[in-house]
Amino acid sequence: MNLEFPYSEIESPSPNPRMDVRSKKEEEESSSNGGRRRKYWRCTKNDFFPETSFENITTYKSALSQTFPRLKNRLLARSSDANELVVLQKESERPMQNASLEFAVEIPVAGGSFSYLRVELGDFIAYIAAGNILLEAIVGAAGLGRSWSSYLASMINTANPDLLRFRVDSLAEGFNLLDPVAFLILLVANGIAMSGTKRTSWLNWIASIVTALVIVFIIVVGFIHAKSSNLVPFFPMGVQGSFKAAAVVYWSYTGFDMVATMAEETKQPSRDIPIGLIGSMSMITVIYCLMALALTMMVNYTKIDVNAAYSVAFAQIGMNWAKYLVSVCALKGMTTSLLVGSLGQARYTTQIARAHMIPPWFALVHPKTETPINATLLVAILSAIIAFFSSLDVLSSVFSFSTLLIFMLVAVALLVRRYYVKDVTPKSHLVKFLVCLFIIIASSIAISAIWNSNGRGWIGYAIAGIMLFSGTVGMAMLPQQHVPKIWGVPLVPWLPSLSIGINLFLVGSLGYLAFLRFIICSAAMLVYYFFVGLHATYDVAHLNQEESNNLESS
């Protein structure tokens, strides 16, 4: 049964919080070594595959023979708040460093949306989300690395943002510009992130002051040199082009999700997370709009360089000195984004590893830095390799698909959390809720499909829109089973329903290649799940169930 109390009321069953993050095996080994902890830098089979299914070839064959029964067991198996908050943290052996969304307030753990989905939508959906979260983290970091390289090149030669890259004609288009600078900056940024959250936060604070001043400069100077003629035509790509761009620009908003992933290391999540998320998102949205308007009025949209837009724009209006100022600021901003991204991405990975969806070796927290170094290294190395080969347009389509899918799933999870509590919600209400949810999702997909098939008739949109509205009204008439005790999303189910509709609509705007790349990545995820992840999580779930039940009943 889901817990109905906030994080502040969950206490450790032991007076020593350090003991709560040790597994039984860890305690035994610690006792046999005279009370000393195990070394952090270790690499044995049991560190990667400690589950009983992987003890030997016989147990693995037995596990494979039980794939379908186990899949049925895990398909909709839901985690609990206590399991995510307390039980899984023992996999890290040490707590993470304290650095100073309704979900982040009530379930303040490092896993962010992964943990929320695992609690509300079950293990299998959470695994799909986990794979996309890792993909998002790796691809997003790689994209920032490529952008960093482009801005550095624009400082040297405005006309050639690919100056620091090497072309290899034997490789496919989109993967044939090798970028050693992006490779190196990713390794450096992640290295700093591994040193600790306090140091990273301090560097971010100092750099943010400089960035704010330069942003003001860009907006003011941009409007001073603005020409209204540059806004003609106002919609050069049409409405459809604007929606396609909106789907890609979601890339810029993933940083806000990192606030939730830092919840485990936030001193007062019930206060700081809502303020941090809502306040920063509101301000940044206004700043984005002002900067975009200043850019498009300063130079014609046909002359905007997609790799280093602002520095090239200032050079085009004759302000070469400003080009360097903007480039330095952009490099600083992207470096900060890489640092913050490294922190959040590693913590996502940590919680995924705690659940054994990937080897638990990646969940370990270093005793000195109190940061998940192994998880950071995983994201750093993979993102650096991808950044070395892949162009920005390839990365953006893959990244945006994963981001939109996760945001949509979180909106669904929020509705489930409000309207369904196991053993509490009457079966009749659950059936009505599921019908309404199905109508909302199906009508959202229908609207997206009609739009992307170039359908312009109003009848299809009207029918789908009425269905979407009816499904939301029907859900609003049902009693909510879970009321947030501290902070909650307003206008439920209207806002989550709108979020589902918008995210699915934008997914449909990404194009054929984005769907193809997503299908290929998802197929690879499922292969790993059926041969490894399913059996690891099945074993761990049965081991953790008793401990989680004890916490819920205490």
Side-chain angles (χ1 to χ4, degrees):
M1 145 174 170
N2 288 347
L3 297 184
E4 303 298 326
F5 45 82
Y7 174 67
S8 58
E9 298 178 16
I10 298 179
E11 298 181 355
S12 168
S14 166
N16 184 356
R18 294 276 180 174
M19 289 294 293
D20 294 327
V21 293
R22 288 186 179 181
S23 63
K24 294 180 180 179
K25 185 175 181 180
E26 174 72 8
E27 293 176 15
E28 293 172 359
E29 294 193 14
S30 177
S31 300
S32 64
N33 290 326
R36 293 178 298 172
R37 290 184 180 273
R38 300 172 67 196
K39 292 181 179 180
Y40 181 81
W41 296 112
R42 58 185 194 262
C43 188
T44 67
K45 171 187 168 296
N46 284 335
D47 292 315
F48 285 85
F49 301 105
E51 302 85 9
T52 56
S53 293
F54 305 102
E55 285 184 0
N56 51 59
I57 191 64
T58 302
T59 57
Y60 182 60
K61 287 181 178 180
S62 176
L64 288 179
S65 68
Q66 296 296 312
T67 295
F68 289 106
R70 290 185 173 194
L71 177 62
K72 182 179 179 181
N73 176 271
R74 303 309 303 155
L75 192 60
L76 295 176
R78 302 167 78 195
S79 183
S80 66
D81 294 11
N83 189 53
E84 298 296 315
L85 285 165
V86 183
V87 176
L88 292 187
Q89 291 188 28
K90 71 179 184 294
E91 298 291 341
S92 294
E93 298 183 0
R94 298 165 180 85
M96 279 193 270
Q97 186 183 77
N98 285 325
S100 324
L101 328 127
E102 175 177 346
F103 274 121
V105 170
E106 295 198 352
I107 316 177
V109 292
S113 54
F114 164 71
S115 293
Y116 318 149
L117 293 173
R118 195 159 180 258
V119 169
E120 300 303 334
L121 300 185
D123 222 45
F124 181 74
I125 297 296
Y127 174 81
I128 298 299
N132 280 277
I133 287 168
L134 287 176
L135 181 64
E136 178 187 76
I138 294 165
V139 171
L144 274 174
R146 297 285 291 203
S147 295
W148 201 98
S149 174
S150 294
Y151 264 90
L152 181 61
S154 71
M155 292 179 64
I156 303 171
N157 184 351
T158 304
N160 186 13
D162 293 326
L163 178 66
L164 302 177
R165 297 172 182 142
F166 302 95
R167 180 176 294 275
V168 180
D169 294 330
S170 59
L171 297 176
E173 188 67 29
F175 304 92
N176 58 347
L177 284 175
L178 307 186
D179 197 332
V181 174
F183 182 91
L184 291 175
I185 190 61
L186 283 166
L187 295 183
V188 171
N190 281 277
I192 296 173
M194 285 186 286
S195 66
T197 56
K198 288 183 178 179
R199 183 178 301 175
T200 306
S201 299
W202 181 81
L203 289 173
N204 185 33
W205 175 253
I206 298 298
S208 294
I209 297 175
V210 179
T211 301
L213 295 175
V214 176
I215 286 175
V216 171
F217 169 81
I218 291 173
I219 294 173
V220 172
V221 174
F223 282 118
I224 290 175
H225 290 81
K227 297 179 181 179
S228 58
S229 60
N230 286 328
L231 295 180
V232 180
F234 191 69
F235 274 105
M237 303 299 178
V239 178
Q240 196 164 14
S242 297
F243 280 116
K244 186 174 182 179
V248 176
V249 85
Y250 255 64
W251 187 318
S252 304
Y253 279 83
T254 54
F256 297 107
D257 196 30
M258 298 304 172
V259 176
T261 69
M262 300 299 292
E264 188 176 314
E265 299 162 87
T266 304
K267 289 182 178 180
Q268 293 183 285
S270 61
R271 181 199 68 184
D272 297 342
I273 291 174
I275 293 175
L277 277 173
I278 297 173
S280 61
M281 189 175 295
S282 301
M283 290 188 294
I284 293 300
T285 298
V286 173
I287 292 173
Y288 275 174
C289 293
L290 289 174
M291 290 187 70
L293 183 59
L295 175 65
T296 52
M297 292 186 73
M298 188 164 51
V299 296
N300 190 273
Y301 77 96
T302 59
K303 297 179 181 179
I304 295 175
D305 189 290
V306 296
N307 293 292
Y310 289 94
S311 63
V312 174
F314 277 101
Q316 290 173 346
I317 63 172
M319 298 180 66
N320 287 318
W321 63 271
K323 175 189 76 172
Y324 297 104
L325 175 65
V326 172
S327 294
V328 170
C329 177
L331 290 175
K332 193 283 323 165
M334 284 183 283
T335 303
T336 301
S337 296
L338 284 171
L339 290 173
V340 175
S342 297
L343 292 173
Q345 291 151 4
R347 280 141 186 83
Y348 264 133
T349 308
T350 297
Q351 192 71 4
I352 293 169
R354 285 171 173 174
H356 289 232
M357 289 188 174
I358 60 174
W361 185 79
F362 295 107
L364 297 178
V365 173
H366 195 276
K368 291 185 179 180
T369 65
E370 296 182 338
T371 57
I373 289 182
N374 294 347
T376 307
L377 282 173
L378 173 67
V379 176
I381 293 172
L382 291 177
S383 61
I385 293 173
I386 291 176
F388 186 68
F389 289 98
S390 306
S391 66
L392 199 57
D393 59 333
V394 172
L395 296 172
S396 62
S397 64
V398 176
F399 184 91
S400 296
F401 201 115
S402 296
T403 302
L404 290 165
L405 177 65
I406 294 167
F407 284 2
M408 185 275 291
L409 289 174
V410 170
V412 172
L414 177 60
L415 291 175
V416 173
R417 184 171 183 83
R418 290 291 189 92
Y419 287 96
Y420 174 63
V421 177
K422 187 178 179 180
D423 300 328
V424 174
T425 304
K427 186 175 180 180
S428 59
H429 287 175
L430 175 60
V431 172
K432 293 176 183 177
F433 167 75
L434 292 176
V435 170
C436 292
L437 182 61
F438 175 80
I439 292 173
I440 291 171
I441 295 175
S443 58
S444 300
I445 294 174
I447 294 173
S448 180
I450 295 170
W451 175 263
N452 288 285
S453 64
N454 297 317
R456 295 294 181 266
W458 61 271
I459 298 178
Y461 291 113
I463 294 174
I466 292 172
M467 288 178 60
L468 178 60
F469 180 78
S470 301
T472 309
V473 169
M475 190 175 292
M477 296 175 65
L478 294 173
Q480 295 190 21
Q481 304 292 334
H482 177 95
V483 179
K485 301 293 180 67
I486 304 174
W487 186 89
V489 174
L491 299 176
V492 175
W494 298 99
L495 279 182
S497 177
L498 182 62
S499 177
I500 292 170
I502 291 175
N503 282 288
L504 287 175
F505 182 82
L506 293 177
V507 164
S509 302
L510 287 172
Y512 165 76
L513 284 178
F515 275 85
L516 181 61
R517 290 163 183 159
F518 172 77
I519 291 171
I520 293 172
C521 292
S522 297
M525 295 173 196
L526 290 175
V527 169
Y528 176 86
Y529 182 72
F530 288 128
F531 285 93
V532 180
L534 169 63
H535 309 291
T537 54
Y538 179 87
D539 290 343
V540 172
H542 285 72
L543 289 174
N544 287 345
Q545 186 63 48
E546 182 178 352
E547 185 173 354
S548 182
N549 289 340
N550 291 337
L551 286 169
E552 289 182 359
S553 61
S554 63

